[in-house]
Amino acid sequence: MEKKLKNLDYQIKAVDDKSGIVQFYASSFGERDTDADSDGDVMVKGAYAKTIKENFKRIRHLKNHSISVGVPKELVEDNFGLLVTSQMILGKQVSKELYEEYKVYAELGNSMEHSVGFIPIKTDNDNESGINYIKEVKLMDVTTMETWGANQFTPQGAIKQFGSLEQAIETLKAMLNARFQ
């Protein structure tokens, strides 16, 4: 099967200047044809569960689906989508520059875009609506994009150094209650 790419966009909420930890949604879930992205795909909750369990250490954080910029520390499916916590590799120039972009975007309240690279394993095509419901994937990468994505209504993320579980929970609540562009 051919590798597919899915992008999304969301406002950055916080940046810690020293940690290099980036947190973002790489994918959002949907249930209806109105949740479909511009490619006519709807990612179904649970699509990442098996690949996270079986392939976590092989999944990469890339820039533009090609250059390694970070190491995923955690991948979690929540009610919204695939939440990624990644440690940026700040010893690499490309990662350092990308992290600086994150900080500027966050400071200005602008959005960046992220994407997932995956191989579809289980899908359900609705011939009437033309929607492709993606139920299981083999995730290859999460990526930070410099271009627009297929799904403009899904969140991209927050960057923050979490000093405690309480801080992490507060950030996640803020992200889930945010108004999307």
Side-chain angles (χ1 to χ4, degrees), residues 15 39-40 45 70 74 79-80 86 96 101 106 116-117 130-131 145 147 164 166 168:
V15 174
D39 295 329
K45 184 177 179 181
E74 186 174 34
N79 288 329
F80 184 83
S86 182
K96 186 183 286 185
E101 287 181 49
V116 289
I131 302 302
M145 298 296 295
T147 60
S164 68
E166 290 79 20

Side-chain angles (χ1 to χ4, degrees), residues 30-104:
E31 297 175 357
R32 307 168 305 280
D33 61 355
T34 56
D35 296 329
D37 62 23
S38 61
D39 295 329
D41 291 334
V42 173
M43 195 63 71
V44 176
K45 184 177 179 181
Y48 298 103
K50 185 175 180 185
T51 195
I52 291 169
K53 183 177 179 180
E54 295 177 356
N55 301 309
F56 176 79
K57 292 186 181 232
R58 298 188 76 196
I59 298 167
R60 303 294 183 238
H61 179 188
L62 306 176
K63 178 180 179 182
N64 296 327
H65 293 288
S66 63
I67 302 167
S68 177
V69 293
V71 178
K73 293 178 69 170
E74 186 174 34
L75 301 169
V76 176
E77 281 190 320
D78 64 16
N79 288 329
F80 184 83
L82 178 64
L83 182 64
V84 178
T85 303
S86 182
Q87 176 67 57
M88 299 294 288
I89 306 168
L90 297 179
K92 291 178 74 170
Q93 188 62 33
V94 65
S95 300
K96 186 183 286 185
E97 290 172 3
L98 185 60
Y99 191 62
E100 291 301 315
E101 287 181 49
Y102 273 113
K103 293 190 303 187
V104 170

Side-chain angles (χ1 to χ4, degrees), residues 128-140:
E128 188 174 310
S129 68
I131 302 302
N132 184 37
Y133 293 91
I134 301 172
K135 296 183 172 186
E136 182 184 336
V137 301
K138 181 175 183 179
L139 184 62
M140 310 302 282

